[in-house]
Amino acid sequence: MGNALALHPLERIVSEHEGWLAARVLGYAKDGGYTRYTSTLEEAWRISVAGLSASLIHALRAKEPTPGLSPDYDFAADPVTRFGIDEARRHRMRGVTLGMFLGLMKYYRRSYQDLVRCSGLDEKTLERGRLFVDCFFDRIEIGFTTEWASVSAPQRLAELEEASRSITNEKNRLLTLLESIPSPVMLLDTDGRPVFMKHEAVELLAGPMTPGTHYYRESGSPGLEVGVPRWSRLKRFLKGKAREARFEESIESSAGRRYFLVTVQRMLDISEKFCGTTIILSDFTDRKHAEDERQRLVEEMEERVRSRTAELLDVNERLVEEIEERRRSERFFHATIDSLSAPVAILNGDGDIVTVNRAWRKFADENGCRHPNHFIGDNYLGLCDNVKGKDAVTASAVARGIREVTAGRIDEFHLEYPCHGPGEQRWFQVRATRLENGSRGRVAVVHENISEVKKAQEEILSLNRSLEERIRLRTQQLECSNRELEGFCYAVSHDLRSHLARLEGLGRGLVEDCSAGLDNQARHYAERICRISMDLRRAIDSLLDLSRLARCELGNEAVDLSEVAARVAEELQRSQPLRRVSFSVEPGVIVRGDPQLLETVVRHLMGNAWKFTSRRKDAEIAFGSTMLHGMKTCFVRDNGVGFDMRYAGCLFQPFQRLHGPAEFDGAGIGLATVQRVIQRHGGRIWAEGERGEGAVFFFTFPD
């Protein structure tokens, strides 16, 4: 009795701090790594602490003093030891080892000691409480070890087998409970891979299952390979730190598109460590369809109400404004046709004149056509049919045209006719046009004075005749100049080339026949004469080719420049098979022009690229097209020696070279030839480059 009275404050402290004790024990278990093998639910730890606290409080309330741990004490009758025996049986059935239990008891003992130490009791009561807690846990451990030692290995094995069956049955009950949930459920591991999928989830993501397949699947078994839906919000959740999320998604299934509320829950163990993710799909397709239908019906009804209301308002407004609108339209119509300088008459479907404009009335007054109300009310077609004399043919044609327009067979009719005055030549054009916008069958007849236009046409015809004569004379002059140029070219090609050939032959004769009598300097001079003669002959041939480009007749057909570039690249590679050059040719680059001349352009540009990349082991040559300034532009690009942009203007001048003959051979006329061909096609060529970084030549053709 004295023991219970002395430790009465400890009973209150233990009963009031079960949550603190559970958190303390859990903290020690986390630090010791026991949470990997124990329950992941905090509630289980609270229940465990509650059981220990209840047993400890029961011992505190006992009338007997705390028993000593002697070999003669009857521990079987001790309720605390009996509590340890019961705990041993329960933990052994769950597969807990003796060492694991004693290790956990160490943390429970330490937590209760910490509670006593932090309770604020006086020193004497604090010491008695500490001794009582130690004795309490010693009795529990004695009961646990005694029970554990009393069980044989076969009995322990039988208990474990029974526990395994119980766990399996519990697992099956949980799976049955999970499968009884009508929603598809998935369980993902820490890497986001599926380790469990309900039957509904597999059928939703993969379609109907094959009869006979396993209903429950383990990780890696067939059926889980359907994977996880690739929803962006699910991916963000798996990469993030949030514990749960809800969002709506849709899935195209064999039964059509289904809509789901996706609930994603991150699974954490007792140590707050991520151990997987659950995904629950709640189908709300029917509800969504019902809501969509309801919303559609509501919107449709609202729209019908708005439409009907608007119709009624419009009817009321139209009834009020219709007369005024008609009056405004009539005033505007008359003001419009009165503003026209040409005479205008509006006819109805029968050809009667409904109204005329101010210009019509003025013209009638000025030309002496005295008629009541300026012919309004008369039939215009009848007036035309009654015309006699030289104007009868014109009037009859006008009447026929207006009848065609009135009948709807044509939209417009126009005819030019003379209407000469006493002192001037005048021409008019009559134009009959069917009116729209509710004026059914009405026709506007306009008589426009085109005398000035006729005079201008006569002047243009006179100027054209004069221009044609000037062109004929100029053509004769050009033909004469071309004949003179051809004669000059012939003289150059025949006389000058023959002299150069003889000079070259004499030089070769000196080198080959008289070399024994020549010293080194004389032999050098003779060889230079031969070389210079050859260069001059090549330059003359190039100039002749360039001059022929200005006189030859251009063809005009579709030319596939990509095919030409590919062929030239193949020829260049065959000419020097030991060179390794990377060619890139864009397919389908087609322009219109002369096939032979355009092939000359591609050959010169790709030949230049081949020549100026000869010093690179990683030479690259590309042909293609791009859009520059809204125009399709072809290009040839290389990564050769390049050039200084300050001298870009000299590239296309004949015999202007940016590299000496000792560096790269050539006559210096190729780019001038290319420019001449492109200019004759109405195009343009330019170049961009940088020393040591290559060059690119762009050229365009008109559409």
Side-chain angles (χ1 to χ4, degrees):
M1 185 66 179
N3 178 64
L5 292 174
L7 294 178
H8 177 71
L10 183 61
E11 176 185 346
R12 176 182 55 79
I13 291 170
V14 170
S15 62
E16 292 178 354
H17 292 82
E18 286 185 356
W20 186 91
L21 285 167
R24 195 77 167 185
V25 173
L26 181 57
Y28 283 136
K30 288 180 181 178
D31 295 339
Y34 276 84
T35 53
R36 292 180 298 171
Y37 308 104
T38 56
S39 174
T40 60
L41 300 175
E42 293 185 7
E43 186 62 26
W45 292 86
R46 292 193 186 96
I47 293 173
S48 176
V49 168
L52 278 171
S53 296
S55 180
L56 187 145
I57 290 171
H58 179 77
L60 283 172
R61 293 175 179 176
K63 297 181 179 180
E64 294 81 6
T66 303
L69 300 179
S70 66
D72 299 326
Y73 180 71
D74 185 9
F75 288 102
D78 181 17
V80 176
T81 307
R82 172 60 56 185
F83 176 79
I85 292 171
D86 294 339
E87 287 295 303
R89 290 172 179 171
R90 284 196 296 270
H91 283 73
R92 190 173 63 248
M93 291 295 292
R94 289 172 36 232
V96 178
T97 64
L98 177 62
M100 185 182 296
F101 179 80
L102 293 177
L104 279 174
M105 283 297 104
K106 176 183 67 175
Y107 296 134
Y108 278 100
R109 183 195 298 262
R110 185 184 300 174
S111 299
Y112 277 87
Q113 292 286 13
D114 291 345
L115 178 64
V116 172
R117 187 167 52 254
C118 300
S119 62
L121 299 173
D122 60 84
E123 187 172 341
K124 182 177 180 181
T125 306
L126 183 68
E127 180 63 23
R128 288 176 60 84
R130 187 186 64 78
L131 292 174
F132 184 85
V133 168
D134 278 342
C135 182
F136 172 76
F137 278 97
D138 289 343
R139 291 153 69 188
I140 289 177
E141 291 175 1
I142 288 173
F144 192 90
T145 53
T146 300
E147 169 62 22
W148 198 277
S150 66
V151 178
S152 63
Q155 183 180 355
R156 189 177 299 118
L157 180 59
E159 289 178 350
L160 290 177
E161 290 176 351
E162 178 62 27
S164 177
R165 285 190 295 272
S166 176
I167 291 173
T168 301
N169 291 334
E170 184 66 22
K171 175 185 175 183
N172 289 337
R173 282 195 296 272
L174 290 176
L175 287 175
T176 302
L177 176 63
L178 186 62
E179 288 291 349
S180 66
I181 299 174
S183 302
V185 177
M186 290 175 278
L187 175 63
L188 311 182
D189 62 12
T190 55
D191 295 325
R193 294 187 298 265
V195 295
F196 173 79
M197 301 182 81
K198 273 190 59 182
H199 179 80
E200 289 85 352
V202 176
E203 285 202 335
L204 178 66
L205 299 176
M209 297 175 59
T210 304
T213 55
H214 295 294
Y215 193 70
Y216 302 110
R217 300 183 181 276
E218 301 296 335
S219 177
S221 63
L224 297 182
E225 65 275 5
V226 296
V228 182
R230 299 180 179 274
W231 296 323
S232 58
R233 283 175 285 191
L234 177 59
K235 291 181 180 178
R236 288 196 299 270
F237 176 83
L238 294 176
K239 293 180 180 178
K241 300 296 183 182
R243 293 200 174 192
E244 63 179 356
R246 286 182 175 85
F247 50 87
E248 294 180 0
E249 288 290 349
S250 63
I251 296 177
E252 190 66 41
S253 68
S254 58
R257 180 163 295 277
R258 311 294 294 175
Y259 296 88
F260 294 90
L261 174 63
V262 183
T263 302
V264 188
Q265 179 72 46
R266 193 180 299 275
M267 296 190 299
L268 305 174
D269 63 14
I270 197 66
S271 62
E272 297 295 313
K273 182 179 179 182
F274 174 59
C275 59
T277 304
T278 59
I279 303 175
I280 302 176
L281 306 178
S282 302
D283 192 333
F284 67 98
T285 304
D286 295 338
R287 176 169 59 84
K288 179 173 177 56
H289 289 168
E291 290 178 354
D292 291 345
E293 180 64 17
R294 182 183 63 82
Q295 182 64 27
R296 186 189 67 80
L297 292 174
V298 170
E299 292 176 355
E300 182 180 345
M301 182 61 68
E302 291 176 351
E303 180 60 29
R304 291 174 64 183
V305 171
R306 285 194 299 267
S307 177
R308 185 57 180 165
T309 303
E311 288 177 1
L312 293 175
L313 292 175
D314 288 343
V315 169
N316 290 334
E317 291 178 0
R318 285 198 299 270
L319 290 175
V320 174
E321 297 182 359
E322 185 173 357
I323 296 176
E324 183 60 30
E325 180 63 28
R326 287 174 180 255
R327 291 173 179 173
R328 285 197 301 267
S329 298
E330 186 175 354
R331 289 195 297 268
F332 177 76
F333 173 75
H334 283 287
T336 301
I337 64 173
D338 282 343
S339 66
L340 300 176
S341 60
V344 178
I346 306 300
L347 314 182
N348 62 17
D350 297 327
D352 298 330
I353 299 177
V354 178
T355 186
V356 296
N357 69 341
R358 183 184 296 111
W360 177 284
R361 294 191 294 270
K362 180 180 178 182
F363 183 84
D365 294 341
E366 290 177 349
N367 289 271
C369 298
R370 303 300 177 183
H371 189 281
N373 208 18
H374 298 94
F375 300 96
I376 294 178
D378 289 0
N379 189 276
Y380 188 88
L381 300 177
L383 294 174
C384 292
D385 293 336
N386 292 327
V387 173
K388 306 298 182 181
K390 62 179 181 179
D391 296 329
V393 176
T394 301
S396 178
V398 171
R400 285 196 303 271
I402 293 175
R403 287 188 174 96
E404 292 290 313
V405 173
T406 303
R409 287 188 286 271
I410 59 175
D411 293 331
E412 186 179 83
F413 164 79
H414 60 87
L415 176 69
E416 295 178 1
Y417 63 94
C419 183
H420 304 317
E424 61 177 335
Q425 298 288 320
R426 296 184 307 183
W427 286 84
F428 284 84
Q429 176 178 282
V430 59
R431 184 182 301 273
T433 306
R434 186 172 65 252
L435 298 179
E436 303 295 340
N437 299 327
S439 301
R440 187 179 301 275
R442 293 199 172 189
V443 176
V445 179
V446 182
H447 292 265
E448 185 177 2
N449 191 333
I450 59 171
S451 300
E452 294 298 327
V453 176
K454 281 291 186 179
K455 291 179 182 178
Q457 289 177 350
E458 289 296 332
E459 292 177 359
I460 291 173
L461 290 175
S462 177
L463 289 174
N464 285 341
R465 287 191 292 270
S466 174
L467 183 59
E468 288 174 357
E469 180 63 22
R470 293 171 62 188
I471 291 174
R472 186 183 63 79
L473 294 175
R474 184 58 176 166
T475 302
Q476 291 177 351
Q477 294 174 0
L478 289 175
E479 290 176 351
C480 182
S481 297
N482 285 337
R483 286 194 295 270
E484 292 176 357
L485 181 60
E486 289 175 357
F488 171 75
C489 291
Y490 176 79
V492 169
S493 63
H494 185 270
D495 299 338
L496 187 56
R497 291 178 78 252
S498 62
H499 292 316
L500 286 173
R502 286 195 292 272
L503 182 60
E504 181 183 350
L506 293 173
R508 290 191 181 280
L510 283 173
V511 174
E512 295 174 357
D513 300 335
C514 305
S515 59
L518 299 176
D519 57 15
N520 290 336
Q521 185 174 9
R523 187 179 299 105
H524 173 69
Y525 288 157
E527 291 175 349
R528 287 196 61 191
I529 290 171
C530 294
R531 206 160 42 244
I532 291 172
S533 298
M534 292 174 60
D535 291 341
L536 280 174
R537 184 155 49 84
R538 288 169 57 191
I540 290 171
D541 290 341
S542 299
L543 282 175
L544 290 173
D545 292 338
L546 187 61
S547 67
R548 278 195 292 270
L549 290 176
R551 303 193 309 274
C552 66
E553 184 177 353
L554 288 180
N556 184 20
E557 57 184 87
V559 181
D560 189 343
L561 295 186
S562 299
E563 188 274 333
V564 175
R567 188 170 66 251
V568 172
E570 184 178 357
E571 293 173 1
L572 291 172
Q573 192 66 69
R574 283 202 305 267
S575 67
Q576 296 184 29
L578 297 181
R579 281 191 62 183
R580 291 293 178 264
V581 179
S582 174
F583 284 99
S584 174
V585 177
E586 176 187 339
V589 180
I590 299 176
V591 300
R592 294 196 67 84
D594 187 280
Q596 294 183 350
L597 295 183
L598 293 181
E599 181 173 343
T600 300
V601 169
V602 176
R603 284 188 177 278
H604 276 299
L605 293 179
M606 294 192 69
N608 270 9
W610 176 269
K611 176 170 61 178
F612 290 113
T613 56
S614 59
R615 298 180 180 178
R616 293 193 66 116
K617 294 182 180 179
D618 58 342
E620 296 179 357
I621 299 174
F623 170 82
S625 65
T626 185
M627 294 299 294
L628 293 178
H629 310 295
M631 296 182 62
K632 182 177 181 181
T633 304
C634 304
F635 64 83
V636 174
R637 180 187 294 114
D638 65 72
N639 61 343
V641 296
F643 61 89
D644 193 332
M645 284 296 291
R646 292 180 298 173
Y647 306 111
C650 302
L651 286 174
F652 302 102
Q653 298 180 13
F655 306 114
Q656 291 291 326
R657 298 169 56 90
L658 301 186
H659 304 279
E663 295 182 276
F664 300 99
D665 62 351
I669 201 71
L671 290 179
T673 301
V674 169
Q675 186 186 51
R676 182 69 57 84
V677 171
I678 293 175
Q679 287 177 346
R680 285 211 62 195
H681 282 80
R684 173 173 169 257
I685 184 170
W686 70 96
E688 296 176 3
E690 184 177 350
R691 293 187 63 85
E693 298 297 330
V696 56
F697 286 83
F698 298 96
F699 55 97
T700 63
F701 296 98
D703 294 337

